Structures are given as C-alpha cells and as structure tokens.
Amino acid sequence: EQALDTQRTGQRITECDLAFLLARIFRRNGCSERTATVLAANCASAEAAGSLSHGIFRIDGYVSTLRSGWVDGAAEPQIEAPAPGYLRVDARNGFAQPAFLQAREDFVARIRANGIAFMAIKDSHHFGALWPDVTPFAEEGLIALSLVNSFACSIPAGAEKPLFGTNPIAFAAPIEGSAPLVFDFATTSMANGDVQIAARAGRMLPPGMGVDSNGTPTCNPKEILDGGSLVPFGGHKGSAISMMIELMVAGLTGGQFSFEVDWSAHPGAQTPRTGQIFIGIDPEFSGGAGFVEKAGEFISRLSDAGLTTYPGYRRWKGRGTQDIGISTEDYRRLNEYAQG
Ligand code: NDP
Ligand code: PYC
C-alpha cells in the first residue's frame, strides 16, 4: 500500500515494494493470491537483476493477456506421479510458476529419495525469467535443469520459416564456498523481449540476430517482429539445442509445440501456452569426491585461468543490495494498472 500511496516519481524503489505493487496488478487482473505473489516476485527480481526483457517491461503483456481471457490466472494445477521419479503437472491453462511451486516440495523429496527426478508441466504459460525457478535448488545442494518452449519466432538453421520458440534453458548447480553456478538464456540469438525493447527505443540490432519477412537478414527489430524472425544462437549448434527443447518439452509433457500456439481468438494475448520441464539431481549420490567440493575446485581453476566471473555470480553478489530505478512513466503506468 505504501508504494501506491507515495506519489514518488522517477525514483528508486526496493525490490520488495516493487513486488508488492506488481502483485496488486496481477490480483486486479484476475490472478489468485498465490499466482499474483509468484509472478510479481519473478518479475521484480528480474528487474532488480537488470534482466530488463523479463522485468516490468513485461507487465503490459501480462495484463493484456489476462484481459484477453487466454490464460487462467486462478487455475488450480493437478499433480500426479506415474512413477517414483516422475511428476506430471497439468497447469490447466494457468501460469507455469505457481504450478511448479505447488509440486516443488514433492519434487525435491523425490530427487532426494531417488537421486534424480523429472517434472513435466503441461498446458502452462511461462512469460518470465527461468533463473528464479532453478536457483533455489542449487541453494539446497541440488542440481537442476529446466527447459521451456514458447511461440514460433525462430527459424531453424537451414529452414525457411519460423518453427521454434526462443526456448530458454536454465541450469543451476551448487558450488563449495561460492555463488551457485546458474545460467539461463534464450536459445535464439537474443530474447524476443529484447527485440521488442530495441524496437520501442528505435535502436538497431547487431548483425546476425534475425531476418525480415522475406528471409533477408536485417538489423531492424521492427522487421524481425513484423513478419520476420529471430534465428537460433550459434548456427546449427544452437538450432539443435532449440530443437531438443521443443521435442523434450512438448514431447514429454504432452503439451504444445511452439508452432502449435494459436492465440488468434484472443487479441492481446502474448503468453505462450506450452510447457516446462525440470530435471533435478541430488549430487550426494555421485560417490567419490563430493560434487560440491569438486565444483569449488573447478571454479578456482577457472579463476586461475583468468576468468573473473561466472554465470550466476554477478546476481548472487548484488542480491538484496540495490534499490531499483524506475522511470516516472513506468511508475505511473504500474500504479494505473494497480488501481484500474
Ligand atoms: P543473456 O544473453 O542475457 O544471458 C544471460 C545468462 O548469461 C545469464 O545466466 C548470465 O549470468 C550469463 N552471462 C551474461 N554475461 C555473462 C558474462 N560476461 N560472464 C558470465 N556469464 C554471463 O540471456 P537472454 O537475453 O537470452 O535471456 C534473458 C532472460 O530471458 C532469461 O532469464 C530467460 O529465462 C528469459 N527468457 C524467457 C523466455 C520464456 O519463454 N519464459 C524465453 C526467452 C528468454 P548472470 O545472470 O550472472 O549475469
Ligand atoms: O523474450 O523470448 C522472449 C520470451 C518469450 C516468451 C517469454 N519471453
């Protein structure tokens, strides 16, 4: 309430106040308390970490999607365990993160009991960063890998039309005496969100990011968004990883491929209705020298080799320490959504 009552403009706000404001927006737009809290925390933490493609920039898209009726902000997921190491979660057209959190405790128990477990979430919408999903596993001493498919906006290497989503991959592992190793990125040359941000700012992209509607390489983000396409990162290699993500996520959840997402009956919809998978491993079962100690040794060798940082370290070092700068315009818009 404090964040709303204060007539602050173009100033700094704590991550906690931002999450509070965002949760109110989600609730106002049809989300249950649980969904609102989870999505708000995800979005505020992305903004705090400087991951702007999935921070408050996304709120317009969340709101227009919720208002379009494409997603159910109050969905109640269904969870079943067809095998001791396999959890199937049906998000029932809700957001992926609350469905995941509902099954998480059971999933962790299965990882610890079996050494490894798999979770397949289907009929879910993931519109945020993945690192908030995987990082807590590493903080609990576990290894996690998560994959998500999205909507067709990336042309497979050698193909002529978009078929893959931006298909992010996220990995987290515990490191003795240091930050968990966490990487999380789109398997396209860049995230679709960053293309939209560049288009809004009137900024050209570096070469090699995508093509226009004729398949001609372009640096103009508007041409990529308007009938054009991104390309996978790293040519045929990234394309194969993106292909694996499509197959693993749609195939193992029983959900949709990115190219099957059809939101045409819901103008304003932006959140892909697909799926998410998790593989969790308990390194306590590895035997020999402990994984976490070996990981610590590995990181110090990387440091000896001249590496000054590693994925996950920057965010871990800055956690909880900084207020977030929000422009006057963004702050006004968020408050309008929260009240309207
Ligand atoms: P980036 O290209 O920005 O890469 C981010 C990753 O690379 C992070 O793990 C980051 O670690 C690491 N990294 C970046 N620079 C360095 C460096 N110099 N040294 C070491 N590590 C580095 O990511 P994207 O733009 O592709 O994706 C951004 C976000 O978008 C992700 O969170 C992703 O989940 C999300 N996304 C979500 C989608 C969805 O369907 N929900 C679709 C596509 C993307 P660190 O954080 O420590 O800096
Ligand atoms: O930025 O590529 C992206 C994206 C797709 C779905 C959610 N984010």
Side-chain angles (χ1 to χ4, degrees):
E1 297 296 336
Q2 198 185 358
L4 290 171
D5 292 343
T6 313
Q7 293 305 307
R8 297 178 299 183
T9 51
Q11 72 217 315
R12 305 192 74 77
I13 182 170
T14 64
E15 185 179 330
C16 184
D17 280 347
L18 179 60
F20 188 90
L21 176 59
L22 299 183
R24 186 165 173 141
I25 296 172
F26 285 115
R27 281 197 306 272
R28 284 270 158 148
N29 286 281
C31 289
S32 63
E33 187 67 40
R34 187 164 50 90
T35 297
T37 306
V38 175
L39 296 184
N42 178 291
C43 187
S45 66
E47 188 72 25
S51 200
L52 302 186
S53 61
H54 291 80
I56 59 171
F57 156 75
R58 285 283 172 198
I59 293 298
D60 292 338
Y62 274 118
V63 169
S64 69
T65 305
L66 282 158
R67 290 179 181 172
S68 78
W70 166 246
V71 64
D72 181 357
E76 283 299 327
Q78 277 177 340
I79 303 165
E80 59 182 89
Y86 206 116
L87 271 185
R88 278 203 299 243
V89 182
D90 184 346
R92 301 174 79 201
N93 194 29
F95 288 99
Q97 297 96 327
F100 159 63
L101 283 183
Q102 189 132 327
R104 191 182 186 284
E105 196 179 324
D106 189 3
F107 184 51
V108 168
R110 287 169 194 277
I111 299 168
R112 294 208 191 278
N114 299 301
I116 183 163
F118 180 78
M119 171 157 39
I121 305 174
K122 77 164 181 186
D123 205 13
S124 57
H125 299 243
H126 205 304
F127 205 47
L130 271 67
W131 57 262
D133 300 343
V134 294
T135 305
F137 288 99
E139 289 167 350
E140 292 170 53
L142 302 171
I143 298 168
L145 179 76
S146 183
L147 312 175
V148 170
N149 63 334
S150 58
F151 64 100
C153 61
S154 166
I155 301 188
E160 286 165 7
K161 57 181 188 185
L163 204 69
F164 300 159
T166 48
N167 297 3
I169 177 168
F171 172 81
I175 307 287
E176 169 88 343
S178 190
L181 190 160
V182 182
F183 73 74
D184 167 27
F185 47 75
T187 51
T188 33
S189 52
M190 63 193 297
N192 184 274
D194 277 328
V195 182
Q196 292 182 46
I197 289 173
R200 280 189 192 184
R203 213 175 44 235
M204 289 292 129
L205 303 175
M209 300 293 113
V211 296
D212 67 16
S213 55
N214 300 314
T216 308
T218 180
C219 294
N220 185 338
K222 290 188 177 152
E223 291 180 350
I224 292 176
L225 295 170
D226 186 15
S229 180
L230 285 164
V231 294
F233 80 95
H236 66 282
K237 300 183 184 184
S239 190
I241 294 173
S242 219
M243 186 183 292
M244 174 198 69
I245 295 172
E246 282 296 339
L247 184 59
M248 291 280 281
V249 182
L252 291 173
T253 64
Q256 301 201 90
F257 287 107
S258 296
F259 58 81
E260 291 176 314
V261 172
D262 179 8
W263 41 36
S264 56
H266 296 266
Q270 294 185 31
T271 62
R273 183 176 179 177
T274 52
Q276 178 171 22
I277 62 171
F278 287 87
I279 297 170
I281 300 170
D282 185 349
E284 284 289 316
F285 289 81
S286 59
F291 174 89
V292 183
E293 292 74 22
K294 272 184 94 83
E297 201 182 303
F298 175 56
I299 292 293
S300 58
R301 290 301 288 268
L302 291 174
S303 164
D304 292 348
L307 204 66
T308 54
T309 186
Y310 60 91
Y313 183 75
R314 176 190 64 85
R315 207 177 36 248
W316 178 79
K317 199 136 187 273
R319 67 198 186 286
T321 56
Q322 285 160 344
D323 287 351
I324 305 163
I326 298 205
S327 74
T328 306
E329 171 50 25
D330 283 342
Y331 193 67
R332 186 196 57 74
R333 204 176 74 257
L334 295 180
N335 275 289
E336 254 175 41
Y337 279 141
Q339 280 152 4

